[in-house]
Amino acid sequence: MQNSSLSALAQPDAASAIEDFVQTYAAHPVYIPPRGPRLHAKNWPAEAALRMFLNNLSNDVAEKPEELVVYGGIGQAARTPQDARKIVELLLTLEEDESLLIQSGKPVGKIRSHAEAPRVLIANSNLVPRWSTWEHFNQLRERGLMMYGQMTAGSWIYIGTQGILQGTYETFAACGRRHYNGDLRHKLVVSGGLGGMGGAQPLAATMAGATFLGVDIDPERIKKRVETGYLDHISYDYHHAMRLVLAARHKGEAVSIGLVGNIGDVLEKLLEDEIIPDILTDQTSAHDPINGYVPHGLTLEEALALRQSDPQEYKARSLQSMARHVGYMLEMQRRGSCTFDYGNNLREYAQQGGEANAFQIPGFVPEYIRPLFCEGKGPFRWVALSGDPEDIKVTDEALKQLFPENTHMIGWLNEASLKVSFQGLPSRICWLGMGEREKAGLLFNQLVREGKVKAPLVIGRDHLDCGSVASPYRETEGMKDGSDAVSDWPLLNLMANASGGATWISFHHGGGVGMGFSQHAGMVIVADGSERADRCLRRVLHNDPALGIFRHADAGYETAQQNAVKHGLTI
């Protein structure tokens, strides 16, 4: 892509240009991603990383930008404000034959590389297995030696609540096909947690045709979902909320209500009133018993105070509350509710808290998503660096023309264009499989080259993907060959994407389910219209989904083995 103007760093007074940039776009706690075709860094790969880093921390996207927290309790994009500033400065000056090293949110050096190597190499929250506990991690964090990267917080490709929207939709839709003949009208979905990830649930449920009740103790989280169009109504009163919910369920209306309250208390009341959801799950921040979950019997203010004054007492109360919470879910399950764990490690901590039968609740991946993983499918996402929503519209239409036979994808894009509000830089997510991702990436690069979009496009994905994660209580739960805990696969994914020429890559520990329970790799690549980008896109968007097919074929899944033959991946 031809630059509309020179990089600011090409100007005579580079130090002044850097300071001007920081004051305009990265003056803590106000982070703003630049928009438009003008380069500020020395090349588009570095510019893309810079804009996405700032996008992660922007007020439109991040849960707590003043703490550098993007989502998921304490999931950060940088360790300290000083580290965030240094990351910005280094990305502004990064050459095409250098790669920046990030260690748990802190820039620690640059290495010699080459133009088709990753510009940024990120490792977050990784500990030697014996020390991979929240207790040890928190000791390091308190000493300023580490941060928790979650999944896409510390890898700079979080796109707001939309990031998990289609995955949540696919899960609810698959549940509806299995249990309700594919029709979720007149069906009630109930869940806890309406934060950065859980906030996708109400819109996903209503897009699938259901009535939705979500519960969160923090009214600000619910208000944010209403403001961004992910949730229809907020209620502060249980009886008021239930009048709305039951009326909508009776009429078959796809309406979502967010109730301010404790999810355990609400489940208890629902049982007392003999109101049994058709579908029941949870996306509270149960992965972190201290900094995420809020125990029963405490107001939000009391919980925040106890976290500071006595974290061990807080954790004990969280575990007891999770056991109570899951106990009510199990009773709902016994009474006919289709109940599943949504990957936040609630079952494990409930079991630690005393609920021995917690794992009678199945996980969502083995129940509904693994068949998609066997096809190399997963959450393909892209961002318009121009900041212009029209560029996303152009990409949506181009994908429809590229894959006219993929009616499911076309239907999703049509719905998303009408119902999804952008947070930060305009973005889109849509599940694509082996072969499709490479074609889409090359198409996007062509759109940039031909000037059909106004600036380069960033392509990434969630770490929750077909071949990028080892998480025995989530993505790799119940593997056919018992290889749930084998983490060679995300490491191979990381190395394959480094070899292929991703623009930045990351390897994290503990995302989604907490410290000690997962390892996972992230990948981002920029389509800037160049021939270099074509070469990198062909390699990376082949290699990345291929790892999913390799992983599941090796585990004995016949569908994956058939797809390996189909795509020429057998050896």
Side-chain angles (χ1 to χ4, degrees):
M1 178 176 182
Q2 297 297 314
N3 303 320
S4 61
S5 62
L6 291 174
S7 162
L9 275 300
Q11 297 172 9
D13 189 353
S16 176
I18 290 173
E19 187 60 33
D20 287 347
F21 182 94
V22 169
Q23 292 305 315
T24 303
Y25 297 107
H28 183 79
V30 180
Y31 297 91
I32 304 167
R35 289 162 165 79
R38 180 192 175 197
L39 267 177
H40 302 83
K42 292 190 172 184
N43 51 76
W44 272 110
E47 180 82 16
L50 175 67
R51 294 193 190 192
M52 292 307 299
F53 174 71
L54 294 171
N55 191 62
N56 260 26
L57 288 171
S58 70
N59 190 58
D60 291 335
V61 174
E63 295 286 321
K64 298 177 183 177
E66 69 279 4
E67 298 177 20
L68 305 173
V69 169
V70 182
Y71 74 94
I74 54 170
Q76 293 178 277
R79 199 186 303 180
T80 68
Q82 294 75 25
D83 292 322
R85 179 187 171 109
K86 190 66 175 178
I87 288 169
V88 169
E89 293 175 356
L90 289 165
L91 288 174
L92 283 168
T93 58
L94 199 65
E95 302 287 352
E96 285 194 316
D97 60 355
E98 295 178 321
S99 296
L100 175 62
L101 305 178
I102 306 291
Q103 182 262 319
S104 284
K106 178 181 181 179
V108 293
K110 294 187 292 186
I111 60 170
R112 297 174 184 174
S113 57
H114 55 85
E116 295 187 16
R119 294 281 67 78
V120 189
L121 306 168
I122 300 171
N124 284 318
S125 321
N126 295 291
L127 293 166
V128 172
R130 184 173 175 180
W131 287 267
S132 298
T133 65
W134 274 120
E135 288 74 16
H136 189 70
F137 169 82
N138 283 328
Q139 291 172 10
L140 294 170
R141 183 171 181 265
E142 287 166 8
R143 293 165 58 195
L145 298 175
M146 247 191 170
M147 74 165 204
Y148 182 51
Q150 256 294 353
M151 287 192 156
T152 53
S155 56
W156 311 345
I157 188 59
Y158 186 61
I159 59 171
T161 306
Q162 184 187 174
I164 200 172
L165 180 62
Q166 190 181 1
T168 311
Y169 168 82
E170 296 286 354
T171 301
F172 288 148
C175 182
R177 287 192 296 271
R178 180 180 300 181
H179 300 287
Y180 301 112
N181 296 315
D183 187 358
L184 290 181
R185 290 175 299 172
H186 303 285
K187 302 296 184 254
L188 173 61
V189 178
V190 172
S191 183
L194 292 170
M197 291 286 92
Q201 296 175 105
L203 183 55
T206 56
M207 288 175 77
T211 303
F212 178 85
L213 174 68
V215 183
D216 199 299
I217 198 166
D218 186 351
E220 295 306 313
R221 288 182 171 183
I222 300 178
K223 290 176 186 176
K224 188 167 187 176
R225 306 311 154 217
V226 174
E227 290 166 1
T228 55
Y230 281 81
L231 183 67
D232 294 321
H233 305 290
I234 183 171
S235 177
Y236 293 84
D237 177 76
Y238 168 82
H239 297 290
H240 171 257
M242 293 318 301
R243 284 195 298 272
L244 295 175
V245 164
L246 294 178
R249 181 198 209 179
H250 178 72
K251 296 175 184 177
E253 294 177 341
V255 172
S256 58
I257 293 91
L259 173 61
V260 180
N262 178 285
I263 180 61
D265 293 345
V266 172
L267 292 182
E268 181 181 35
K269 291 178 181 178
L270 290 173
L271 284 166
E272 290 172 355
D273 293 341
E274 298 185 351
I275 300 170
I276 307 302
D278 300 285
I279 298 173
L280 175 64
T281 188
D282 183 73
Q283 278 202 351
T284 56
S285 295
H287 66 277
D288 188 342
I290 294 177
N291 295 296
Y293 196 84
V294 176
H296 161 68
L298 295 175
T299 65
L300 182 59
E301 292 72 22
E302 290 169 342
L304 295 174
L306 184 60
R307 279 179 187 170
Q308 295 298 317
S309 65
D310 194 342
Q312 291 311 307
E313 171 64 16
Y314 188 100
K315 179 179 179 180
R317 294 183 68 161
S318 278
L319 297 184
Q320 292 168 4
S321 294
M322 289 190 218
R324 172 179 177 264
H325 178 172
V326 170
Y328 292 140
M329 293 179 73
L330 286 165
E331 181 57 30
M332 293 281 195
Q333 186 183 52
R334 284 189 285 270
R335 297 194 195 184
S337 180
C338 175
T339 304
F340 58 88
D341 175 282
Y342 216 141
N344 58 359
N345 218 14
L346 177 64
R347 295 171 298 175
E348 167 64 21
Y349 288 118
Q351 190 174 66
Q352 290 183 24
E355 179 46 75
N357 297 317
F359 281 88
Q360 287 183 6
I361 296 173
F364 79 104
V365 171
E367 285 290 292
Y368 306 118
I369 298 299
R370 186 155 294 144
L372 297 175
F373 284 176
C374 290
E375 298 178 42
K377 286 187 176 179
F380 181 89
R381 59 178 66 168
W382 63 99
V383 182
L385 293 181
S386 67
D388 188 344
E390 187 66 24
D391 281 359
I392 295 299
K393 183 177 179 180
V394 170
T395 58
D396 284 350
E397 294 305 315
L399 282 182
K400 293 176 195 176
Q401 293 177 27
L402 183 64
F403 301 119
E405 75 289 348
N406 192 337
T407 55
H408 183 77
M409 179 206 73
I410 292 171
W412 166 259
L413 291 175
N414 288 338
E415 285 285 292
S417 67
L418 295 173
K419 297 180 179 178
V420 174
S421 298
F422 298 132
Q423 292 174 255
L425 292 172
S427 60
R428 181 71 76 229
I429 187 165
C430 120
W431 280 44
L432 294 178
M434 185 69 202
E436 294 175 321
R437 299 194 202 189
E438 180 182 350
K439 290 178 182 177
L442 291 171
L443 172 66
F444 288 175
N445 205 42
Q446 182 180 343
L447 295 177
V448 177
R449 185 161 48 241
E450 295 175 354
K452 293 180 180 178
V453 293
K454 300 173 185 66
L457 301 165
V458 162
I459 299 167
R461 56 160 172 76
D462 197 354
H463 290 211
L464 188 167
D465 196 25
C466 54
S468 60
V469 60
S471 185
Y473 289 162
R474 197 160 93 170
E475 290 87 348
T476 54
E477 178 178 350
M479 294 296 291
K480 192 172 183 178
D481 64 347
S483 60
D484 304 21
V486 175
S487 59
D488 293 337
W489 297 101
L491 284 163
L492 288 170
N493 180 277
L494 177 80
M495 291 185 280
N497 283 322
S499 301
T503 307
W504 67 94
I505 55 173
S506 54
F507 193 80
H508 294 193
H509 168 211
V513 288
M515 300 302 291
F517 294 99
S518 67
Q519 291 179 293
H520 39 91
M523 173 284 297
V524 186
I525 186 166
V526 63
D528 61 9
S530 66
E531 292 183 4
R532 175 203 56 78
D534 273 338
R535 293 191 295 271
C536 292
L537 287 160
R538 283 193 182 95
R539 294 190 296 257
V540 170
L541 296 180
H542 171 90
N543 296 350
D544 194 47
L547 259 293
I549 292 178
F550 291 146
R551 199 270 181 266
H552 290 86
D554 188 72
Y557 290 93
E558 292 181 5
T559 302
Q561 293 167 350
Q562 292 165 3
N563 276 291
V565 173
K566 175 182 175 181
H567 294 288
L569 301 176
T570 56
I571 55 173

